[in-house]
Amino acid sequence: MRLATVRHGDGTRAAVGDDAGWVLLEETDAQRLFSAPDWRERAEEALRDPARSTVDEGAFATPVPRPAKIFCCGLNYRDHIAETGRPVPEFPTLFAKFADTLTGPFDEIIVHDTDRVDWEAELAVVIGAEVHRADREQASAAILGYAVANDVSMRDWQQRTLQWLQGKAFDATNPLGPWLVTADEIEPKDGLRITCAVNGVIMQDGDTAELVFDAADLVAYVSQITVLRPGDIVLTGTPGGVALGMDDPRWLRDGDVVTTAVDGIGELRNTIRFE
């Protein structure tokens, strides 16, 4: 099933859906919905109702608005590692982001004080159960589902120091969505095509089977450091084809439209604006 947060009236509502459409629930967002112990039974009951709603794409908000923790893995696709000229890592290369970096799947991304804005298509993992010091099997069981993300990066800020955070933490620059697909519906380890296009031109074209550390690996690894709870997010890295890896980088410009997709999950489409 799909779980979404939909802008409705003066606020938002949780929604559950499938190919037939959407049912709005009483919770204000998907995170409040799946944090309840009986959420799955209620969602499945809602989907038995044949009456469905259509939702305009602009109404979709980021499905998980309040993650306590966002962990990201850099250098995790073999082709991206190759384009950076670095060796395949022995351990995940981790950094953190904040909830304020998230924005909607079709919202404009507004940036400032930068001229090296890059795209990074990502598969996002959303945690659905508390998990701490887990093995791979326990980590896999704690995954609620998957979404599409783009870790839009300000490379000039990122490269000011050896620490990446400052280039990754601009507010409202990380689209996530358009919804979550629950983990019982999909297995990224089997291989899902992941792409990013700029103004319709494919720049990244990868496969989640090429991840060095897959979703369960990353959740298990991060859980050795800190407890993960429902709503926490792990971004799994980006495939080759980013501007940073080009001999003559083509950075994003004002008005560029970035389309990010993962087969079996969905698509984001965001226009870049410079202040």
Side-chain angles (χ1 to χ4, degrees):
M1 74 179 74
R2 300 170 188 166
L3 306 176
T5 298
V6 176
R7 295 170 178 129
H8 183 77
D10 294 332
T12 59
R13 294 272 295 278
V16 58
D18 54 23
D19 288 340
W22 295 93
V23 179
L24 299 184
L25 301 180
E26 63 184 26
E27 285 82 2
T28 54
D29 55 68
Q31 186 172 352
R32 291 192 186 279
L33 171 64
F34 66 70
S35 295
D38 63 343
W39 78 267
R40 189 176 291 273
E41 292 80 4
R42 291 181 53 230
E44 289 173 348
E45 181 180 358
L47 288 177
R48 286 193 282 272
D49 185 344
R52 302 297 176 86
S53 299
T54 58
V55 177
D56 292 336
E57 65 177 29
F60 286 102
T62 183
V64 186
R66 296 174 308 281
K69 298 168 185 174
I70 304 174
F71 276 88
C72 310
C73 185
L75 303 174
N76 199 23
Y77 282 84
R78 290 174 175 84
D79 58 349
H80 181 49
I81 295 167
E83 73 181 354
T84 66
R86 302 186 185 189
V88 175
E90 180 180 1
F91 301 106
T93 303
L94 297 179
F95 60 95
K97 294 171 76 81
F98 309 106
D100 285 340
T101 64
L102 298 179
T103 192
F106 304 102
D107 293 351
E108 288 189 343
I109 295 174
I110 300 172
V111 298
H112 60 91
D113 299 319
T114 178
D115 58 9
R116 295 187 178 183
V117 183
D118 204 350
W119 54 84
E120 293 191 77
E122 306 235 1
L123 172 73
V125 180
V126 180
I127 303 299
E130 185 170 306
V131 57
H132 192 209
R133 298 181 180 177
D135 60 24
R136 181 182 167 84
E137 183 177 355
Q138 293 166 328
S140 182
I143 296 172
L144 169 68
Y146 303 95
V148 187
N150 199 305
D151 179 23
V152 173
S153 299
M154 278 40 76
R155 299 296 194 187
D156 41 358
W157 283 77
Q158 178 183 340
Q159 294 179 322
R160 288 181 175 187
T161 71
L162 294 177
Q163 299 298 319
W164 298 355
L165 174 66
Q166 58 200 356
K168 303 281 191 172
F170 279 48
D171 287 349
T173 58
N174 193 140
L176 178 78
W179 43 71
L180 311 181
V181 175
T182 52
D184 58 321
E185 299 280 346
I186 201 163
E187 178 46 77
K189 189 174 177 62
D190 294 339
L192 303 172
R193 187 186 183 200
I194 177 170
T195 61
C196 181
V198 178
N199 300 331
V201 178
I202 295 289
M203 310 302 289
Q204 293 180 278
D205 195 345
D207 192 303
T208 58
E210 293 300 309
L211 285 165
V212 177
F213 306 101
D214 72 3
D217 290 334
L218 290 173
V219 172
Y221 187 80
V222 172
S223 80
Q224 307 308 311
I225 305 166
T226 183
V227 61
L228 294 172
R229 297 185 174 89
D232 287 345
I233 296 169
V234 179
L235 299 184
T236 56
T238 197
V242 297
L244 184 65
M246 299 176 178
D247 292 335
D248 183 17
R250 188 275 193 224
W251 307 110
L252 290 170
R253 298 185 286 262
D254 186 72
D256 282 347
V257 178
V258 179
T259 305
T260 316
V262 179
D263 282 1
I265 301 179
E267 179 180 285
L268 317 175
R269 190 169 59 259
N270 305 93
T271 300
I272 305 297
R273 297 294 183 194
F274 283 74
E275 286 187 331

